[in-house]
């Protein structure tokens, strides 16, 4: 697949002028201040407070306290020389019940954040939905209910009006795959439901929410923002008899269920067939596909590892995993004797158990650029969790994360040399933060957060990334 240069460690590679080097976070993972200034609970507040759902009973109540420390966090980004910050807006902070009154204090927070970024010369890349659905919307049915897409459209209008004069890039959704399948199918993410038909209805209403939000943002933004969505693509490997069939099915469920309607204007026929025993897709109304199929300026790509699948003969599929996604995770599908199983992958692995496969990033970028030749791409998340150890002098040497990043930047660079129109790259994450079902046990930051003192320390990988961001040249 990748000939020569498969080692991906080449220092000295030069990224083109204007290439965006950023870092990413998400509201529930970093903000804290969960019940301050009018914010009401989201599904993640409820889920994390349900015993047994999150490691150690951790919650996002305090997280990195970014809500109060945003100014020094922005200073840190500036010191690192980052060109862009991908953050998400907490819907329950700005429209606390999801459909009711607008909370000006919530809007003001994001308005100050955006101004603070612009003052420091950092582009604001704002995601509307990174999984913190207002709890009352879940109580009314959540994403499987069409009304949630209606509520999202209004939320987009409110945010477009409030920030659309200054935001550099709008992103509608982050990883709708996780929201739909982990939230409503596999249940490892909030709201923790196990209803395959609801998961597919959620897929559609998330797609609809995306398309409607794009229209609302375009209608209300008075600046010249770019528009995008971020998807977590499954880069698949197959094993055993029927490997190709297993890969086809998961490609349909995990990748084409989103790119189909968003970028081609239709659901793939094989997806509808594969899932016919679960749903008749009657939740797709006449004009929905036209509403979903909106142009975007840039397609956001999240990539961490590959996934290996095989056909599994049994009564029910062996359920994936550990409550998250990635190497050991995926989308097993009930309703058939022949299910798809996700197979453990050869190492090396990160602390998440995800295999390290930079060639998968090159392959993914090449495949997307072949399928959507006119579509500029942006890596909106890539990074790694490792068990960092603080040195005696207080520094945080994290050679494995640094090496992971170097190899993946190198893979992205190679894809660009092969013709991919890649505009930028966001490292996940700026800070160690609340890693969903894993609580604070998994550290993805290029900046360490001490969760007792909340003190921030730039890790070696952060210093390395800073050099890359400042020079545009891959450092040693
Ligand atoms: C996701 C989210 C992030 C995660 C990161 C590591 O992809 O799950 O966008 O919130 O923290 O990916 O798992």
């Amino acid at each position: 697949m990748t000939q020569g240069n498969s080692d991906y460690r080449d220092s000295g590679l030069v990224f083109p002028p204007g290439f965006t080097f950023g870092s990413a976070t998400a509201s529930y993972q970093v903000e804290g201040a969960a019940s301050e200034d009018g914010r009401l609970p989201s599904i993640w507040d409820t889920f994390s407070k349900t015993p047994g759902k999150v490691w150690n009973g951790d919650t996002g109540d305090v997280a990195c306290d970014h809500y109060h420390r945003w100014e020094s966090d922005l200073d840190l980004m500036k010191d690192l020389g980052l060109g862009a910050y991908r953050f998400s807006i907490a819907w329950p902070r700005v429209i606390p019940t999801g459909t009711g009154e607008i909370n000006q204090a919530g809007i003001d927070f994001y308005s100050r954040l955006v101004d603070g970024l612009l003052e420091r010369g950092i582009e604001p890349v704002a995601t509307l939905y990174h999984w913190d659905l207002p709890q009352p919307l879940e109580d009314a049915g959540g994403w499987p209910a069409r009304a949630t897409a209606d509520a999202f459209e209004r939320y987009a209008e409110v945010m477009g009006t409030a920030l659309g004069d200054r935001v550099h890039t709008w992103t509608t959704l982050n990883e709708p795959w996780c929201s739909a399948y982990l939230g409503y199918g596999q249940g490892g993410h909030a709201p923790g439901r196990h209803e395959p038909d609801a998961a597919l209805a959620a897929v559609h209403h998330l797609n609809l929410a995306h398309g409607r939000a794009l229209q609302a943002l375009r209608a209300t933004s008075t600046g010249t923002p770019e528009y995008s969505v971020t998807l977590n693509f499954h880069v698949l490997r197959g094993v055993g008899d029927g490997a190709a069939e297993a890969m086809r099915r998961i490609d349909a469920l995990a990748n084409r269920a989103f790119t189909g309607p968003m970028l081609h204007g239709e659901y793939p026929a094989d997806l509808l067939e594969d899932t016919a025993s679960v749903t008749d897709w009657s939740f797709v109304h006449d004009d929905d596909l036209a509403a979903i199929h909106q142009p975007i300026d840039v397609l956001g790509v999240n990539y961490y590892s590959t996934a290996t699948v095989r056909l599994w003969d049994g009564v029910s599929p062996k359920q994936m995993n550990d409550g998250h996604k990635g190497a050991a995770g995926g989308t097993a599908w009930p309703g058939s004797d022949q299910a798809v199983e996700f197979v453990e992958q050869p190492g090396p692995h990160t602390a998440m158990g995800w295999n390290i496969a930079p060639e998968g990033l090159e392959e993914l970028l090449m495949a997307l650029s072949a399928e959507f030749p006119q579509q500029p791409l942006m890596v909106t998340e890539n990074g790694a969790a490792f068990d960092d150890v603080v040195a005696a002098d207080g520094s945080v040497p994290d050679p494995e994360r640094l090496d992971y990043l170097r190899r993946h930047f190198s893979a992205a660079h190679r894809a660009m040399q092969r013709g991919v129109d890649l505009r930028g790259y966001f490292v996940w994450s700026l800070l160690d933060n609340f890693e969903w079902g894993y609580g604070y046990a998994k550290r993805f930051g290029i900046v360490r957060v001490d969760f007792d003192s909340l003190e921030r320390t730039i890790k070696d990988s952060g210093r390395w990334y800073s050099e890359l961001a400042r020079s545009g040249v891959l450092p040693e």
Side-chain angles (χ1 to χ4, degrees):
M1 189 198 40
T2 44
Q3 286 97 37
N5 199 18
S6 58
D7 187 36
Y8 293 115
R9 302 200 53 189
D10 336 49
S11 50
L13 294 177
V14 179
F15 285 82
F19 190 83
T20 301
F21 294 98
S23 70
T25 66
S27 47
Y28 191 70
Q29 296 183 273
V30 299
E31 284 180 3
S35 47
E36 271 180 58
D37 296 339
R39 182 187 181 280
L40 290 180
S42 74
I43 54 175
W44 268 97
D45 295 85
T46 308
F47 190 76
S48 64
K49 286 172 189 170
T50 307
K53 297 296 187 192
V54 173
W55 180 84
N56 194 39
D58 289 348
T59 74
D61 279 359
V62 177
C64 307
D65 197 32
H66 178 68
Y67 187 76
H68 297 117
R69 295 166 194 250
W70 64 271
E71 285 189 274
S72 47
D73 285 342
L74 264 46
D75 288 343
L76 190 60
M77 286 179 230
K78 186 177 178 198
D79 291 347
L80 288 170
L82 303 186
Y85 177 44
R86 175 175 179 257
F87 62 97
S88 80
I89 295 165
W91 188 351
R93 230 183 250 298
V94 299
I95 309 178
T97 62
T99 51
E101 276 178 29
I102 296 168
N103 178 31
Q104 194 55 45
I107 298 211
D108 290 346
F109 170 70
Y110 295 106
S111 192
R112 286 194 298 270
L113 185 74
V114 165
D115 286 341
L117 287 164
L118 293 173
E119 278 160 22
R120 291 166 179 80
I122 303 169
E123 291 170 356
V125 176
T127 299
L128 288 182
Y129 189 70
H130 201 128
W131 311 349
D132 36 8
L133 185 71
Q135 183 61 41
L137 283 176
E138 175 55 30
D139 297 340
W143 284 110
R146 195 174 173 89
T148 301
D150 301 336
F152 191 75
E153 180 177 2
R154 172 182 176 240
Y155 164 48
E157 236 169 63
V158 168
M159 294 319 302
T161 307
L163 306 181
D165 54 338
R166 288 160 289 157
V167 157
H168 181 275
T169 302
W170 281 119
T171 302
T172 54
L173 307 173
N174 173 71
E175 302 194 0
W177 178 89
C178 292
S179 307
Y181 297 114
L182 297 184
Y184 295 93
Q186 181 260 2
H189 275 194
R193 287 164 57 180
H194 300 273
E195 302 159 43
D197 52 339
L200 291 173
V203 166
H204 179 62
H205 296 135
L206 283 154
N207 283 331
L208 184 61
H210 157 79
R212 295 232 202 115
L214 281 179
Q215 297 175 64
L217 289 169
R218 282 204 163 95
T220 48
S221 295
T222 56
T224 51
E226 302 205 326
Y227 297 90
S228 71
V229 64
T230 279
L231 302 175
N232 57 315
F233 292 93
H234 281 50
V235 178
L236 294 163
R237 310 282 181 253
V239 292
D241 292 343
E245 170 65 4
M247 288 165 69
R248 182 199 62 72
R249 286 195 207 174
I250 298 305
D251 181 47
L253 273 174
N255 299 331
R256 290 183 284 118
F258 301 101
T259 53
M262 287 179 181
L263 300 173
H264 291 303
E266 59 187 8
Y267 282 103
D270 59 337
L271 171 71
L272 305 183
E273 269 168 46
D274 290 349
T275 55
S277 67
V278 179
T279 178
D280 61 6
W281 291 78
S282 55
F283 42 72
V284 181
H285 295 187
D286 278 353
D287 299 327
D288 286 2
L289 285 162
I292 298 168
H293 188 205
Q294 301 295 320
I296 53 173
D297 298 301
V298 63
L299 174 60
V301 177
N302 289 0
Y303 176 81
Y304 292 89
S305 67
T306 58
T308 302
V309 292
R310 72 178 172 107
L311 274 193
W312 185 84
D313 289 305
V315 216
S316 66
K318 185 172 156 202
Q319 264 304 342
M320 49 194 220
N321 108 29
D322 58 2
H324 196 60
K325 54 163 199 197
T331 313
W333 203 254
S336 148
D337 296 350
Q338 251 197 341
V340 178
E341 179 186 22
F342 282 74
V343 177
E344 204 166 305
Q345 305 193 90
H349 298 112
T350 68
M352 297 297 283
W354 299 349
N355 66 311
I356 300 174
E359 69 281 3
L361 177 59
E362 178 183 347
E363 178 185 328
L364 173 61
L365 295 173
M366 292 298 297
L368 289 171
S369 123
E371 187 175 358
F372 310 107
Q374 305 307 324
Q375 191 66 69
L377 305 175
M378 182 84 97
V379 173
T380 39
E381 281 181 33
N382 173 251
F386 285 105
D387 298 325
D388 302 322
V389 178
V390 182
D393 65 359
S395 67
V396 188
D398 58 342
E400 292 169 299
R401 183 176 295 103
L402 194 158
D403 191 55
Y404 178 100
L405 290 174
R406 186 198 287 124
R407 287 172 195 268
H408 284 78
F409 269 100
S410 170
H413 189 276
R414 189 167 164 86
M416 291 165 78
Q417 281 177 321
R418 296 174 69 192
V420 170
D421 183 3
L422 183 69
R423 301 288 171 93
Y425 204 120
F426 291 75
V427 169
W428 184 272
S429 177
L430 176 71
L431 303 171
D432 291 339
N433 60 43
F434 177 81
E435 178 53 27
W436 308 113
Y438 294 93
Y440 298 99
K442 302 294 176 195
R443 295 176 175 274
F444 275 89
I446 52 171
V447 174
R448 179 180 175 85
V449 175
D450 176 321
F451 288 108
D452 295 320
S453 66
L454 295 169
E455 193 189 335
R456 277 80 161 135
T457 308
I458 300 173
K459 301 178 190 178
D460 285 2
S461 60
R463 297 192 191 287
W464 176 89
Y465 188 43
S466 175
E467 212 180 312
L468 171 57
R470 287 179 188 287
S471 65
V473 180
L474 202 70
E476 261 313 309

